[in-house]
Amino acid sequence: MNIANRGVRQLADSSRKLTLEQSSLAEHYPAHSTDGTTLHLPLTSQYWPKAVHEELKHQHWSKSSISAHIDLNAWQGFLKDLPRDPYVNTRWKRMSWLHLNDQHEVETLGECPMAQGGRFNDAASMADRLRYYAPLEESFTEREDVRAFVKAWADMWGIGPREPILMQITGVRGDGTIDPLQGQGIHADGCKYLSILVVNRENVSGAINTLYRDKAGSELLSTTELAPGEVLHIHDDQLFHSVSSISQENAGQHFERFIIIINCAFIDEFQNRMLRRHFPGAVLNESK
């Protein structure tokens, strides 16, 4: 190696070392929310309480709160510009495919439709259909607390580089009573790892999450109501889940409930066919 090339190599190594050191410092020091309060952004490996890992190992589900790690008010601000779901008129939604790159940083992938086979989604309007949605806003996916959440979530499940992660913001708003699942009832989402995070819940009753051992619902495991900032983790290939319909607490006043759904490691062959087509370099569950 000549002197010029050695100098370029040393400069690149120094730059990479500085980037890694800055990343490490960002994990150790707190960030600030939009209202001036301090966010606690722990190391990725310390993001979740130990009980979460134990519960997932032994009962295949767990519930925790990440309110201290995210600026919930800022996240709620992204609900205002959600477009209406073109397939379910009473719902609003955005979604994006993400992954961790080889440096374990969060990246947004290109477009790939949501695809659920009838085995996992038996609603007549959804089964075996390709669905395209507007992507998550870049100003949302580039937030420090959003990236920290995605990295910690992937670490919790053992998700590696280039495994596609689907992240959705979806929910309902308006008047009256709405079934958020639009007839899905007890179901699985066709993946191994699934989490549901409530972003806001305003003037609503209902929306009770229920977990079952079987799709028939004869073996009930747990019921839980999620408050904003709380997240329910599910081994989706081991359990089934449902959510009850919601209604206004105060008639005539606006209500809404929005959630983030994040999942990975798809076992639905219909979805995997689309992922192979749109992301040829992706690491899929079936090829691991």
Side-chain angles (χ1 to χ4, degrees):
M1 181 183 295
N2 61 39
I3 294 175
N5 287 339
R6 186 182 299 117
V8 171
R9 176 66 177 274
Q10 290 174 341
L11 181 61
D13 289 345
S14 297
S15 177
R16 181 174 182 275
K17 181 179 179 182
L18 178 59
T19 300
L20 291 173
E21 288 175 348
Q22 290 173 333
S23 177
S24 177
L25 286 172
E27 285 190 305
H28 282 283
Y29 290 92
H32 295 280
S33 66
T34 53
D35 62 4
T37 59
T38 300
L39 294 176
H40 179 54
L41 295 179
L43 292 169
T44 296
S45 60
Q46 299 172 358
Y47 196 93
W48 309 103
K50 291 182 179 179
V52 170
H53 300 277
E54 289 298 313
E55 289 168 353
L56 287 174
K57 179 179 179 181
H58 295 292
Q59 65 183 23
H60 301 307
W61 68 274
S62 182
K63 174 184 172 181
S64 62
S65 173
I66 61 169
S67 295
H69 307 333
I70 65 175
D71 184 345
L72 197 55
N73 287 333
W75 288 32
Q76 290 169 351
F78 290 94
L79 304 177
K80 299 174 183 177
D81 295 326
L82 286 177
R84 191 182 290 269
D85 187 324
Y87 309 97
V88 184
N89 192 46
T90 53
R91 193 160 60 190
W92 284 257
K93 185 169 185 171
R94 287 183 183 271
M95 73 169 215
S96 287
W97 291 95
L98 315 171
H99 78 174
L100 301 182
N101 61 23
D102 290 329
Q103 289 73 46
H104 288 268
E105 294 299 328
V106 178
E107 289 183 342
T108 301
L109 300 173
E111 182 182 83
C112 176
M114 177 184 285
Q116 288 183 312
R119 172 187 169 195
F120 299 101
N121 189 333
D122 53 13
S125 61
M126 301 291 188
D128 302 313
R129 182 173 184 175
L130 298 180
R131 289 180 283 157
Y132 296 85
Y133 295 98
L136 300 174
E137 295 176 78
E138 187 176 346
S139 53
F140 176 75
T141 56
E142 289 189 349
R143 287 184 55 86
E144 184 179 6
D145 54 352
V146 172
R147 295 197 306 269
F149 166 69
V150 175
K151 286 195 285 187
W153 183 85
D155 180 75
M156 180 186 71
W157 293 113
I159 296 166
R162 290 171 276 113
E163 294 189 55
I165 298 169
L166 180 59
M167 189 174 189
Q168 312 167 51
I169 301 179
T170 182
V172 292
R173 56 164 60 108
D175 303 303
T177 301
I178 298 173
D179 175 4
L181 289 180
Q182 299 297 315
Q184 278 185 280
I186 301 173
H187 68 291
D189 283 33
C191 60
K192 285 189 173 182
Y193 315 127
L194 170 75
S195 296
I196 302 166
L197 166 66
V198 171
V199 180
N200 81 332
R201 180 185 173 99
E202 178 185 337
N203 189 31
V204 301
S205 58
I208 307 300
N209 292 274
T210 305
L211 301 176
Y212 309 86
R213 185 75 64 187
D214 63 325
K215 190 172 183 180
S218 61
E219 297 184 59
L220 187 148
L221 296 175
S222 177
T223 60
T224 184
E225 180 181 301
L226 297 176
E230 291 184 329
V231 56
L232 178 64
H233 307 296
I234 306 170
H235 270 286
D236 189 66
D237 61 335
Q238 301 293 323
L239 307 178
F240 295 86
H241 57 99
S242 70
V243 63
S244 64
S245 60
I246 66 176
S247 59
Q248 294 165 294
E249 289 184 340
N250 298 309
Q253 296 185 18
H254 178 80
F255 79 89
E256 61 182 59
R257 178 180 179 268
F258 284 91
I259 62 175
I260 284 176
I261 303 173
I262 182 168
N263 56 336
C264 186
F266 294 87
I267 59 176
D268 185 340
E269 175 54 29
F270 186 29
Q271 184 66 82
N272 279 331
R273 286 203 308 271
M274 294 303 105
L275 289 169
R276 283 196 301 271
R277 179 181 302 174
H278 290 268
F279 310 132
V283 175
L284 303 184
N285 170 65
E286 60 187 13
S287 62
K288 291 177 64 179

